[in-house]
Amino acid sequence: MLANIDPLKTAVRRWTLILGVLQITVGCVVGFIPPTAVEWFRGIVMAHIEFTANGVLMIVLGLLVNELRLGSLALKLWFALLQIGTWTNGAAGVMAAFLGATSPLMPTLSEKFPPPHGMDSPLVTATLMLCGVTILLTLLLTLYGLLRAGKQA
């Protein structure tokens, strides 16, 4: 059953690497947004850092795809969760920048650099929560796939 998964693994690996490089590129482009273009520039700084860091995470995980022992459905779920989690992290920063409001989930950043429209944006909070849950599930699936592969070796 798992032997037939090689073409899927190849496609998932390729797209994970491509989208990881794209995410780093988006992070670099976001870094060019001038402070005067947004309500809260710290959101842009956050988005720049998150997109680039999560792009690197995506590339590293993409390099592990051939090592994962996951079924077809689990591998597709892994890919979807990885995409949702990494992209929503930077998206939360972009939203916070343009809305001028942050989330209680970012207390240190908001305290040091208070946003003009408050620290309780439901949109930013929901996006960060989605990010956290999906990245955690991705990492757990990655661990599961690596542990299963190790048992078979």
Side-chain angles (χ1 to χ4, degrees), residues 30-91:
V30 164
F32 285 116
I33 296 174
T36 56
V38 295
E39 291 280 329
W40 188 57
F41 187 64
R42 285 294 168 185
I44 290 301
V45 175
M46 174 192 157
H48 164 69
I49 293 167
E50 296 303 340
F51 277 136
T52 54
N54 281 291
V56 172
L57 173 65
M58 193 182 310
I59 290 169
V60 169
L61 292 179
L63 294 172
L64 292 176
V65 168
N66 291 336
E67 303 300 319
L68 300 178
R69 189 164 187 267
L70 297 172
S72 175
L73 181 61
L75 186 59
K76 290 173 185 177
L77 179 64
W78 176 90
F79 179 77
L81 291 169
L82 177 63
Q83 296 307 314
I84 293 166
T86 59
W87 286 98
T88 54
N89 205 353

Side-chain angles (χ1 to χ4, degrees), residues 8-150:
L8 177 61
K9 278 188 173 182
T10 299
V12 166
R13 182 179 192 275
R14 180 174 183 270
W15 279 106
T16 302
L17 295 174
I18 289 169
L19 292 170
V21 173
L22 175 63
Q23 192 167 135
I24 293 170
T25 305
V26 168
C28 291
V29 170
V30 164
F32 285 116
I33 296 174
T36 56
V38 295
E39 291 280 329
W40 188 57
F41 187 64
R42 285 294 168 185
I44 290 301
V45 175
M46 174 192 157
H48 164 69
I49 293 167
E50 296 303 340
F51 277 136
T52 54
N54 281 291
V56 172
L57 173 65
M58 193 182 310
I59 290 169
V60 169
L61 292 179
L63 294 172
L64 292 176
V65 168
N66 291 336
E67 303 300 319
L68 300 178
R69 189 164 187 267
L70 297 172
S72 175
L73 181 61
L75 186 59
K76 290 173 185 177
L77 179 64
W78 176 90
F79 179 77
L81 291 169
L82 177 63
Q83 296 307 314
I84 293 166
T86 59
W87 286 98
T88 54
N89 205 353
V94 171
M95 285 186 268
F98 282 97
L99 293 172
T102 64
S103 165
L105 299 175
M106 304 188 311
T108 305
L109 178 62
S110 299
E111 184 180 302
K112 300 260 185 222
F113 305 97
H117 302 297
M119 297 176 12
D120 196 14
S121 167
L123 184 60
V124 175
T125 298
T127 304
L128 287 171
M129 290 173 77
L130 177 63
C131 162
V133 169
T134 54
I135 287 180
L136 182 59
L137 289 172
T138 301
L139 292 171
L140 290 172
L141 268 174
T142 303
L143 282 171
Y144 175 74
L146 289 171
L147 290 170
R148 283 189 70 206

